[in-house]
C-alpha cells in the first residue's frame, strides 16, 4: 500500500470532515438567531406571514440539527460492521430534509389560504418590512457560504441545507413584497397569494435534493462524465492494458466507490501488472476527489472466473 497516498487521503478526509461539521453548527446557530428574530417581531407586528416564516426557520433548525448528527455519523471511518463507511447517512439526511422543506411549504400554503378566507389585521408594517429584508439578506449570505462548503466537500446534506436558506430568501422577499403592497393598497389577499406562489416554488425546488438522496441510497452509478474520466485514464495505459470490464461505481455521502477488472498483456510479470494497476488507481483518485478505487487484474486471453 502507498503510505504517502494514504496519509494524503486521510488528511483531506479529516479537513473536509471538519469543514462539514463546522458549517453544520454554523447553520444551527443561524437558524436559531432567525427564529428568535422573527418570533419577536411577529408578535410586535401581528403578521401571520412573519410567524409563518418563523415556523419555516424552526423547520430549518430541525433539519440542520439532523444534518449535523448525520454528517458526524457519515464521516466516521469504516469499521468492522460498516466496511464501506457511513456515507449513506448523508443520503438519509438529504431525504429527511426534502420532506421537511416540503412540509414547511405546505404549512405556508395552509396559513396563506387561511388568511385569504378569514382575513387578519397587521400593524407596524414598516418594522415588519425591515425585519424581513434583513432576514432575506442574512439568509442569502448563509446560503452562499453553506453552498460553497457543500460544493468543496461534495456533501448532499449541506447542499440541502443551502437550499433551505436559498428558499428562505425567496420566502422572505415574497413576504416583504406582500407587506409593501398591503401597506400601499390595504389589499391583504395579495400577501397570501405571494406566499402561496413562493411555497409552490420551494416544493418544486426540493425535488432535486430528493432525487439525489434517493440515488445515493439506491447506489446509482456515478454520472456519465465521471465514468468517462475513469475510462480515459485506463485507456491511457495501452498497449499494456488491453481493456477493462465489470466496472461498477456508486456514491455514499461524499465518498465515491469505483471498481473494475483490468485486462493486461499476459506477458507482463505479476509485479509489472500490479504497478500498472496502482498507477491507474493513483491517477483516478487524483482526478476524482474522495474516490476509493478497487481493481482486479486479469491476464489478456485467459478466462475470467470471478
Amino acid at each position: 500500500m502507498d503510505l504517502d497516498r494514504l496519509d494524503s487521503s486521510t488528511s483531506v478526509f479529516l479537513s473536509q470532515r471538519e469543514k462539514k461539521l463546522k458549517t453544520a453548527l454554523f447553520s444551527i446557530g443561524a437558524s436559531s438567531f432567525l427564529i428568535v428574530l422573527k418570533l419577536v417581531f411577529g408578535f410586535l407586528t401581528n403578521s401571520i406571514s412573519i410567524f409563518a416564516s418563523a415556523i419555516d426557520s424552526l423547520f430549518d433548525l430541525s433539519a440542520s440539527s439532523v444534518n449535523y448528527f448525520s454528517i458526524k455519523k457519515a464521516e466516521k471511518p469504516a469499521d468492522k460492521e460498516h466496511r464501506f463507511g457511513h456515507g449513506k447517512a448523508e443520503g438519509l439526511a438529504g431525504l429527511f430534509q426534502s420532506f421537511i422543506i416540503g412540509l414547511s411549504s405546505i404549512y405556508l400554503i395552509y396559513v396563506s389560504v387561511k388568511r385569504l378566507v378569514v382575513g387578519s389585521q397587521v400593524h407596524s408594517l414598516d418594522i415588519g418590512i425591515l425585519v424581513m429584508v434583513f432576514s432575506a439578506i442574512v439568509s442569502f449570505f448563509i446560503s452562499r457560504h453553506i453552498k460553497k462548503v457543500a460544493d468543496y466537500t461534495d456533501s448532499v446534506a449541506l447542499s440541502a441545507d443551502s437550499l433551505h436558506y436559498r428558499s428562505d430568501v425567496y420566502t422572505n422577499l415574497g413576504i416583504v413584497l406582500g407587506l409593501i403592497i398591503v401597506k400601499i393598497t390595504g389589499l391583504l389577499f395579495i400577501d397570501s397569494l405571494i406566499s402561496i406562489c413562493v411555497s409552490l416554488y420551494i416544493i418544486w425546488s426540493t425535488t432535486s435534493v430528493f432525487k439525489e438522496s434517493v440515488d445515493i441510497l439506491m447506489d446509482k452509478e456515478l454520472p456519465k462524465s465521471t465514468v468517462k474520466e475513469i475510462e480515459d485514464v485506463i485507456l491511457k495505459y495501452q498497449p499494456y492494458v488491453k481493456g477493462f470490464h465489470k466496472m461498477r461505481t456508486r456514491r455514499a455521502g461524499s465518498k465515491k466507490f469505483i471498481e473494475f477488472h483490468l485486462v493486461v498483456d499476459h506477458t507482463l510479470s505479476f509485479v509489472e501488472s500490479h504497478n500498472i494497476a496502482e498507477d491507474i488507481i493513483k491517477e483516478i483518485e487524483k482526478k476524482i476527489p474522495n474516490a476509493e478505487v478497487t481493481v482486479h487484474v486479469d491476464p489478456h486471453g485467459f478466462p475470467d472466473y470471478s
Side-chain angles (χ1 to χ4, degrees):
M1 181 178 289
D2 190 328
L3 293 179
D4 289 338
R5 191 179 84 213
L6 180 61
D7 290 342
S8 175
S9 176
T10 302
S11 176
V12 171
F13 175 82
L14 292 175
S15 173
Q16 291 192 351
R17 180 179 187 273
E18 188 176 348
K19 279 183 178 293
K20 284 184 180 182
L21 290 174
K22 284 183 177 179
T23 303
L25 280 175
F26 168 75
S27 178
I28 291 172
S31 295
S32 301
F33 168 73
L34 289 174
I35 289 169
V36 173
L37 180 73
K38 292 173 183 178
L39 284 176
V40 169
F41 286 95
F43 280 112
L44 288 176
T45 61
N46 195 37
S47 169
I48 294 179
S49 294
I50 296 179
F51 276 124
S53 185
I55 295 298
D56 186 36
S57 293
L58 183 62
F59 279 125
D60 288 348
L61 175 61
S62 173
S64 296
S65 299
V66 171
N67 224 11
Y68 173 76
F69 291 108
S70 71
I71 289 173
K72 200 168 184 179
K73 181 72 173 177
E75 296 301 319
K76 283 178 61 179
D79 54 40
K80 290 183 179 180
E81 295 182 347
H82 305 88
R83 296 291 186 179
F84 290 96
H86 305 78
K88 287 192 177 183
E90 278 203 43
L92 289 171
L95 197 64
F96 173 79
Q97 288 187 72
S98 65
F99 281 117
I100 290 295
I101 298 172
L103 286 173
S104 65
S105 300
I106 291 171
Y107 177 78
L108 286 174
I109 292 173
Y110 164 75
V111 171
S112 299
V113 171
K114 184 177 179 181
R115 187 168 180 172
L116 278 172
V117 175
V118 178
S120 64
Q121 293 296 321
V122 294
H123 46 78
S124 302
L125 284 173
D126 291 336
I127 295 176
I129 291 169
L130 288 175
V131 168
M132 296 314 297
V133 168
F134 176 75
S135 296
I137 293 171
V138 171
S139 295
F140 171 77
F141 284 106
I142 292 172
S143 173
R144 193 169 71 168
H145 172 69
I146 296 176
K147 179 62 175 171
K148 185 178 179 180
V149 177
D151 290 341
Y152 174 74
T153 60
D154 202 19
S155 170
V156 177
L158 287 180
S159 181
D161 223 12
S162 171
L163 178 60
H164 287 183
Y165 289 101
R166 190 177 71 192
S167 299
D168 285 350
V169 173
Y170 296 114
T171 303
N172 294 335
L173 290 178
I175 292 171
V176 167
L177 182 59
L179 292 176
I180 290 174
I181 293 174
V182 170
K183 180 177 174 61
I184 295 173
T185 66
L187 299 175
L188 294 176
F189 73 90
I190 298 294
D191 179 28
S192 298
L193 290 178
I194 291 175
S195 295
I196 291 171
C197 291
V198 171
S199 298
L200 290 173
Y201 167 77
I202 294 172
I203 291 173
W204 175 80
S205 66
T206 60
T207 56
S208 61
V209 175
F210 178 83
K211 183 179 182 301
E212 189 173 3
S213 299
V214 170
D215 286 345
I216 287 178
L217 295 173
M218 297 298 292
D219 288 334
K220 183 181 178 181
E221 285 282 302
L222 295 179
K224 290 182 179 179
S225 58
T226 303
V227 174
K228 180 67 166 56
E229 285 185 282
I230 298 168
E231 293 175 351
D232 289 343
V233 170
I234 296 171
L235 296 178
K236 277 174 58 178
Y237 288 81
Q238 293 175 323
Y240 303 109
V241 170
K242 300 299 182 181
F244 63 92
H245 57 277
K246 295 186 178 179
M247 180 180 288
R248 296 191 298 181
T249 66
R250 66 184 181 89
R251 177 181 170 188
S254 57
K255 197 80 172 176
K256 302 174 185 70
F257 294 95
I258 301 161
E259 56 183 77
F260 56 89
H261 286 215
L262 185 70
V263 182
V264 300
D265 189 328
H266 72 278
T267 63
L268 294 175
S269 69
F270 175 81
V271 173
E272 289 172 329
S273 299
H274 170 78
N275 288 339
I276 289 173
E278 281 294 307
D279 288 342
I280 290 174
I281 289 172
K282 288 179 185 177
E283 192 165 341
I284 292 173
E285 290 181 347
K286 183 178 180 181
K287 187 177 286 286
I288 301 172
N290 296 316
E292 184 174 304
V293 184
T294 303
V295 176
H296 174 86
V297 178
D298 292 328
H300 182 246
F302 288 79
D304 178 8
Y305 296 107
S306 59

